[in-house]
Amino acid sequence: MIVHADLDAFYAAVEQRRRPELKGRPIAVGGAGPRGVVMSASYEARAHGVSGGMPTVRARRLCPELVTVPPDMDEYAVVSANVMAVLHSFARRVEPVSMDEAYLDLAGVGMRPRALAEVLRRRVREEQDLALSVGVGPTKLVAKLASVAAKPDGLLVVPPAEVEAFLRPLPASRIPGVGPKTTEALTRFGLLTVGDLADTPRDTLRRIVGAAAGDMLTHYARGEDARPVVPQSVEKSLGGERTFPADVSPEHEVIRTTLLGLAQQNAARLRAAGLAGRTVTVKVRFADLRTVTRSRKLPEPVDLAHDIFAAALPLFAGLVPARARIRLVGLRVEGLDGGARPTQLALGERETGWSELERTVDRVQAKFGPAAVRPASLIGKFGGPGNFSGPKVVDRSERRVEGRPERATAHAPRQSKNPG
């Protein structure tokens, strides 16, 4: 049997856990500006129709009392690691899917599936004060659908003999990979439930949604899923990006501080995972929504913000015309492997430097929190660790307004002094 464990409203739940005044209130983790997007919504907010991926402006219309909280990815990574450690203590084969969900293969585990699932939920509740929904089934597909059906804060076990009865009434859109367009195509032919798909010939489904998708739907509708639980694999890349509250010019100070902040965040994540990357990629989205990227392969794998930032700056400069208006900047590190290689010191070079400094910062932040120490150029620039949404962006480039130059100033909405 396979277990699918899924933390409920993960980012929002972590924020409610560490800020008790937010418990029971509708909150959304994400950007607060006019271009902000909801990353996670508490169940109190979901009751008003707020959901992940929704523009924050629309979320506030649906729920005027919504509290918006900036994301703290460093904190979420720590909490996720703690939860994954609990899962690994019960099964040898654990496959994390994201920060907040994972599959466990119960082969060789000496506990009954329901008993194990109950212990998992209790351990996560007691140790992390978070709700864990768990689904158990003979395949990854059934386990995943069972955990979705169990939400919030529930447990559902689907034995092999009950798979067909469990699947048939479910909406066809519950099948993984069935998005809005596929759902629309199926609906036109009256295929609304998983049972409808199971009763439809494979060739018909292939004609409706294409050969590959038709084959997948045929297997999934019958509960057939041969995918094994694959233990955690090494990430191929990691990164982040920031959408500015208003378009900025290439020479704006916020470009440099954003790239530095992203480099710091990426480097810390690399070192925490024991990884290093060979390729640095910068992404830029312009005001007209055109998006471009440029990459540079480094001579050796790196895991220091100093090296990542040094590679990112010239990449950005080579991407952006002088008069461009920039909407978003992103930074990724790719080609990851198992840690930075030792470097050969040049004659007269100091034996200690950026590596020792950044690893010392890691230890301080681990003990006192991500905000305990950071580069001076980032102090006051951003709202919090892992959050690149400062209270104000001032663009000092010049525009022509009615034939005269005028300083263009763009402001993000003022943050509440009492977010609780």
XYZ file of all heavy atoms in Angstrom, residues 29-95:
490
model
N -1.160 34.011 1.869
C 0.282 34.225 1.768
C 0.581 34.574 0.319
O 0.217 33.836 -0.605
C 1.064 32.970 2.187
C 2.555 33.163 1.957
C 0.789 32.640 3.644
N 1.234 35.711 0.123
C 1.539 36.134 -1.236
C 1.829 37.613 -1.286
O 2.028 38.272 -0.260
N 1.853 38.165 -2.498
C 2.127 39.579 -2.681
C 0.913 40.430 -2.379
O -0.213 40.069 -2.697
N 1.156 41.602 -1.768
C 0.052 42.484 -1.397
C -0.197 43.570 -2.428
O -1.200 44.261 -2.356
C 0.348 43.124 -0.035
N 0.715 43.757 -3.374
C 0.598 44.838 -4.345
C -0.420 44.557 -5.433
O -1.059 43.500 -5.464
N -0.557 45.492 -6.365
C -1.546 45.331 -7.442
C -1.266 44.149 -8.351
O -2.151 43.661 -9.029
C -1.457 46.664 -8.204
C -0.116 47.236 -7.843
C 0.159 46.786 -6.453
N -0.028 43.665 -8.359
C 0.319 42.500 -9.166
C 0.528 41.253 -8.311
O 0.995 40.238 -8.812
C 1.587 42.781 -9.969
C 1.402 43.860 -11.029
C 2.720 44.212 -11.655
N 2.558 45.166 -12.738
C 3.555 45.804 -13.319
N 4.792 45.594 -12.903
N 3.344 46.661 -14.300
N 0.219 41.344 -7.041
C 0.432 40.228 -6.144
C -0.451 39.044 -6.483
O -1.545 39.192 -7.032
N 0.042 37.859 -6.147
C -0.686 36.619 -6.394
C -0.722 35.807 -5.102
O 0.253 35.773 -4.341
C -0.001 35.790 -7.508
C -0.668 34.435 -7.672
C -0.022 36.555 -8.823
N -1.850 35.159 -4.846
C -2.005 34.320 -3.661
C -1.231 33.023 -3.870
O -1.455 32.302 -4.844
C -3.495 34.007 -3.405
C -3.644 33.024 -2.239
C -4.272 35.284 -3.118
N -0.312 32.729 -2.961
C 0.437 31.477 -3.012
C -0.276 30.386 -2.221
O -0.245 29.218 -2.589
C 1.844 31.686 -2.457
C 2.690 32.655 -3.248
S 4.269 33.018 -2.422
C 5.035 31.412 -2.439
N -0.882 30.765 -1.100
C -1.582 29.811 -0.248
C -2.657 30.563 0.513
O -2.438 31.691 0.945
C -0.607 29.148 0.719
O -1.283 28.311 1.640
N -3.814 29.936 0.681
C -4.928 30.562 1.408
C -5.372 29.641 2.532
O -5.448 28.418 2.355
C -6.094 30.843 0.470
N -5.661 30.227 3.676
C -6.176 29.436 4.791
C -7.583 28.956 4.440
O -8.250 29.490 3.544
C -6.214 30.279 6.061
O -7.184 31.315 5.955
N -8.053 27.944 5.167
C -9.387 27.431 4.884
C -10.464 28.459 5.191
O -11.539 28.453 4.565
C -9.626 26.120 5.648
C -8.989 24.945 4.954
C -7.701 24.532 5.278
C -9.649 24.280 3.927
C -7.105 23.473 4.617
C -9.050 23.215 3.260
C -7.783 22.821 3.612
O -7.183 21.781 2.948
N -10.180 29.369 6.117
C -11.128 30.453 6.375
C -11.256 31.352 5.151
O -12.349 31.844 4.848
C -10.668 31.277 7.581
C -10.649 30.523 8.897
C -9.376 29.725 9.137
O -8.505 29.713 8.229
O -9.246 29.116 10.215
N -10.149 31.563 4.429
C -10.194 32.364 3.208
C -10.810 31.578 2.058
O -11.544 32.122 1.226
C -8.784 32.825 2.835
N -10.536 30.273 2.002
C -11.103 29.450 0.933
C -12.621 29.399 0.998
O -13.284 29.230 -0.026
C -10.518 28.034 1.011
C -9.020 27.981 0.774
C -8.479 26.569 0.814
N -7.019 26.565 0.792
C -6.282 25.498 0.570
N -6.854 24.326 0.348
N -4.962 25.587 0.573
N -13.162 29.556 2.191
C -14.620 29.568 2.333
C -15.244 30.744 1.599
O -16.430 30.709 1.241
C -15.001 29.616 3.809
N -14.438 31.781 1.320
C -14.921 32.949 0.571
C -14.588 32.839 -0.917
O -14.841 33.791 -1.669
C -14.298 34.229 1.139
C -14.745 34.561 2.524
N -15.810 35.398 2.799
C -14.283 34.150 3.731
C -15.977 35.510 4.101
N -15.058 34.757 4.695
N -13.981 31.743 -1.334
C -13.631 31.561 -2.739
C -12.200 31.902 -3.076
O -11.805 31.839 -4.245
N -11.380 32.255 -2.090
C -9.979 32.592 -2.341
C -9.197 31.298 -2.562
O -9.384 30.316 -1.836
C -9.383 33.367 -1.150
C -7.909 33.685 -1.398
C -10.170 34.659 -0.916
N -8.304 31.294 -3.551
C -7.533 30.090 -3.850
C -6.143 30.462 -4.335
O -5.899 31.605 -4.747
C -8.238 29.239 -4.911
O -8.375 29.966 -6.118
N -5.226 29.510 -4.279
C -3.870 29.725 -4.749
C -3.838 30.043 -6.230
O -4.605 29.483 -7.019
N -2.934 30.954 -6.626
C -2.826 31.369 -8.017
C -3.732 32.520 -8.382
O -3.644 33.066 -9.488
N -4.605 32.916 -7.472
C -5.547 34.009 -7.720
C -4.869 35.358 -7.483
O -4.103 35.512 -6.528
C -6.748 33.861 -6.783
C -7.764 34.977 -6.851
S -9.109 34.702 -5.663
C -9.914 33.269 -6.414
N -5.114 36.370 -8.319
C -4.586 37.710 -8.037
C -5.076 38.208 -6.679
O -6.247 38.023 -6.326
C -5.150 38.561 -9.186
C -5.414 37.578 -10.284
C -5.841 36.312 -9.608
N -4.190 38.814 -5.925
C -4.559 39.295 -4.591
C -5.680 40.319 -4.651
O -6.540 40.371 -3.762
C -3.322 39.904 -3.909
O -2.265 38.940 -3.892
C -3.635 40.315 -2.485
N -5.701 41.129 -5.696
C -6.759 42.139 -5.833
C -8.130 41.467 -5.884
O -9.080 41.895 -5.221
C -6.524 42.984 -7.100
C -7.710 43.896 -7.364
C -5.244 43.796 -6.967
N -8.231 40.383 -6.652
C -9.508 39.669 -6.731
C -9.829 38.994 -5.395
O -10.978 38.963 -4.962
C -9.443 38.618 -7.841
C -10.767 37.881 -8.030
C -10.650 36.771 -9.049
N -11.857 35.970 -9.099
C -11.915 34.746 -9.590
N -10.817 34.189 -10.073
N -13.040 34.081 -9.609
N -8.799 38.450 -4.741
C -9.011 37.792 -3.448
C -9.592 38.769 -2.431
O -10.483 38.419 -1.647
C -7.702 37.203 -2.942
N -9.114 40.008 -2.444
C -9.626 41.007 -1.504
C -11.063 41.385 -1.817
O -11.838 41.709 -0.908
C -8.738 42.247 -1.535
C -7.372 42.034 -0.902
C -6.669 43.364 -0.698
N -5.366 43.178 -0.084
C -5.174 42.979 1.212
N -6.216 42.927 2.021
N -3.963 42.821 1.695
N -11.425 41.347 -3.093
C -12.826 41.622 -3.439
C -13.732 40.521 -2.911
O -14.847 40.778 -2.438
C -12.983 41.767 -4.956
C -12.430 43.067 -5.523
C -13.005 43.365 -6.890
N -12.671 42.333 -7.869
C -11.635 42.392 -8.692
N -10.826 43.437 -8.639
N -11.401 41.429 -9.559
N -13.257 39.275 -3.021
C -14.052 38.148 -2.527
C -14.121 38.125 -1.003
O -15.134 37.699 -0.424
C -13.442 36.827 -3.024
C -13.527 36.562 -4.532
C -12.722 35.310 -4.883
C -14.982 36.389 -4.964
N -13.041 38.582 -0.359
C -12.952 38.509 1.104
C -12.330 39.806 1.615
O -11.114 39.888 1.805
C -12.112 37.296 1.518
S -11.980 37.056 3.287
N -13.142 40.847 1.844
C -12.600 42.158 2.259
C -11.783 42.103 3.542
O -10.885 42.923 3.747
C -13.865 43.006 2.447
C -14.893 42.357 1.573
C -14.598 40.887 1.635
N -12.063 41.141 4.432
C -11.326 41.062 5.693
C -10.056 40.218 5.572
O -9.408 39.902 6.582
C -12.218 40.488 6.794
C -12.702 39.073 6.574
C -14.023 38.982 5.812
O -14.293 39.842 4.961
O -14.775 38.034 6.089
N -9.674 39.858 4.356
C -8.501 39.024 4.126
C -7.233 39.702 4.650
O -7.005 40.890 4.409
C -8.347 38.748 2.632
C -7.242 37.778 2.208
C -7.607 36.356 2.604
C -7.018 37.873 0.693
N -6.415 38.937 5.379
C -5.106 39.409 5.833
C -4.053 38.830 4.900
O -3.966 37.611 4.733
C -4.820 38.969 7.287
C -3.435 39.435 7.712
C -5.884 39.510 8.224
N -3.260 39.693 4.274
C -2.210 39.243 3.364
C -0.880 39.223 4.089
O -0.488 40.205 4.716
C -2.121 40.167 2.138
O -3.406 40.242 1.504
C -1.110 39.627 1.140
N -0.185 38.087 4.004
C 1.087 37.897 4.705
C 2.166 37.612 3.670
O 1.974 36.750 2.804
C 0.992 36.718 5.698
C 2.308 36.550 6.448
C -0.153 36.933 6.674
N 3.295 38.313 3.718
C 4.378 38.025 2.767
C 4.973 36.649 3.020
O 5.048 36.197 4.172
C 5.401 39.135 3.035
C 5.136 39.566 4.432
C 3.658 39.404 4.639
N 5.402 35.953 1.981
C 5.956 34.603 2.150
C 7.335 34.630 2.799
O 8.115 35.560 2.600
C 6.027 34.068 0.725
C 6.167 35.292 -0.120
C 5.374 36.359 0.560
N 7.622 33.611 3.563
C 8.942 33.424 4.183
C 9.414 32.022 3.815
O 9.222 31.064 4.558
C 8.819 33.584 5.702
C 10.159 33.489 6.416
O 11.136 33.062 5.767
O 10.235 33.830 7.609
N 10.026 31.903 2.625
C 10.369 30.598 2.102
C 11.409 29.870 2.958
O 11.411 28.643 3.022
C 10.884 30.728 0.662
C 9.888 31.368 -0.307
S 8.248 30.571 -0.277
C 8.649 28.933 -0.863
N 12.275 30.623 3.618
C 13.251 29.976 4.488
C 12.556 29.240 5.632
O 12.918 28.111 5.976
C 14.227 31.009 5.042
C 15.119 31.619 3.968
O 15.343 30.929 2.957
O 15.571 32.752 4.129
N 11.573 29.890 6.240
C 10.840 29.257 7.341
C 10.083 28.032 6.846
O 10.082 26.975 7.497
C 9.863 30.261 7.950
C 8.950 29.697 9.029
C 9.679 29.356 10.325
O 10.858 29.737 10.455
O 9.082 28.703 11.194
N 9.450 28.140 5.673
C 8.691 27.002 5.146
C 9.616 25.821 4.852
O 9.230 24.667 5.048
C 7.932 27.406 3.879
C 7.076 28.632 4.031
C 6.829 29.481 2.947
C 6.508 28.980 5.259
C 6.055 30.615 3.082
C 5.733 30.114 5.401
C 5.518 30.941 4.303
O 4.752 32.066 4.442
N 10.826 26.116 4.364
C 11.775 25.039 4.070
C 12.180 24.301 5.338
O 12.311 23.076 5.338
C 13.007 25.612 3.360
N 12.376 25.044 6.432
C 12.745 24.414 7.700
C 11.615 23.525 8.207
O 11.831 22.374 8.610
C 13.102 25.485 8.747
C 13.242 24.863 10.137
C 14.387 26.212 8.362
N 10.385 24.049 8.179
C 9.242 23.274 8.656
C 9.043 22.040 7.782
O 8.791 20.937 8.279
C 7.964 24.142 8.661
C 6.752 23.306 9.077
C 8.125 25.324 9.601
N 9.182 22.203 6.471
C 9.033 21.079 5.553
C 10.051 19.988 5.871
O 9.717 18.799 5.903
C 9.204 21.545 4.104
O 9.219 20.457 3.213
N 11.298 20.390 6.111
C 12.340 19.405 6.427
C 12.004 18.641 7.706
O 12.238 17.425 7.802
C 13.688 20.111 6.568
N 11.439 19.340 8.684
C 11.056 18.671 9.937
C 9.953 17.639 9.699
O 9.979 16.539 10.262
C 10.593 19.708 10.958
C 11.714 20.579 11.460
O 12.885 20.190 11.401
N 11.386 21.761 11.944
N 8.981 17.988 8.864
C 7.885 17.058 8.570
C 8.407 15.865 7.772
O 8.048 14.710 8.043
C 6.753 17.771 7.811
C 5.693 16.771 7.351
C 6.111 18.837 8.693
N 9.264 16.128 6.790
C 9.811 15.035 5.987
C 10.638 14.073 6.855
O 10.662 12.861 6.605
C 10.665 15.585 4.844
C 9.882 16.370 3.806
S 8.582 15.381 3.002
C 7.650 16.682 2.163
N 11.297 14.615 7.878
C 12.053 13.755 8.785
C 11.125 12.791 9.518
O 11.478 11.620 9.746
C 12.826 14.613 9.784
N 9.934 13.260 9.885
C 8.948 12.387 10.520
C 8.536 11.282 9.551
O 8.478 10.097 9.916
C 7.703 13.192 10.972
C 6.612 12.248 11.489
C 8.081 14.192 12.055
N 8.274 11.629 8.304
C 7.859 10.630 7.317
C 8.959 9.594 7.098
O 8.674 8.392 7.012
C 7.502 11.313 5.992
C 6.413 12.383 6.025
C 6.097 12.864 4.617
C 5.146 11.875 6.694
N 10.199 10.051 7.014
C 11.312 9.119 6.795
C 11.514 8.173 7.976
O 12.083 7.083 7.808
C 12.607 9.891 6.537
C 12.771 10.343 5.118
N 12.319 11.555 4.667
C 13.324 9.733 4.040
C 12.588 11.686 3.382
N 13.212 10.590 2.968
N 11.054 8.563 9.151
C 11.229 7.690 10.312
C 10.278 6.500 10.285
O 10.429 5.569 11.071
C 11.017 8.499 11.598
O 9.656 8.866 11.759
N 9.301 6.503 9.357
C 8.325 5.414 9.297
C 8.474 4.540 8.062
O 7.950 3.423 8.027
C 6.901 5.980 9.331
C 6.476 6.444 10.683
C 6.709 7.744 11.089
C 5.853 5.574 11.572
C 6.333 8.175 12.347
C 5.471 6.004 12.821
C 5.716 7.302 13.223
N 9.125 5.037 7.014
C 9.237 4.258 5.774
C 10.595 4.485 5.138
O 11.148 5.587 5.206
C 8.119 4.635 4.804
N 11.121 3.442 4.500
C 12.411 3.561 3.829
C 12.294 4.278 2.495
O 13.242 4.920 2.042
C 13.018 2.170 3.623
C 13.517 1.514 4.914
C 14.067 0.127 4.659
N 13.044 -0.777 4.151
C 13.271 -2.017 3.760
N 14.500 -2.496 3.791
N 12.287 -2.786 3.342
N 11.147 4.124 1.839
C 10.968 4.733 0.520
C 9.978 5.888 0.649
O 8.767 5.688 0.767
C 10.476 3.697 -0.488
C 11.443 2.530 -0.666
C 10.920 1.533 -1.684
N 10.902 2.087 -3.034
C 11.935 2.103 -3.860
N 13.110 1.622 -3.460
N 11.842 2.599 -5.063
N 10.525 7.106 0.630
C 9.721 8.324 0.729
C 10.043 9.203 -0.468
O 11.210 9.470 -0.759
C 10.010 9.089 2.034
C 9.207 10.386 2.089
C 9.703 8.215 3.246
N 9.013 9.628 -1.171
C 9.196 10.470 -2.358
C 8.533 11.832 -2.134
O 7.330 11.979 -2.301
C 8.577 9.813 -3.593
C 8.718 10.648 -4.855
C 8.020 10.029 -6.053
O 7.637 8.844 -5.988
O 7.848 10.739 -7.074
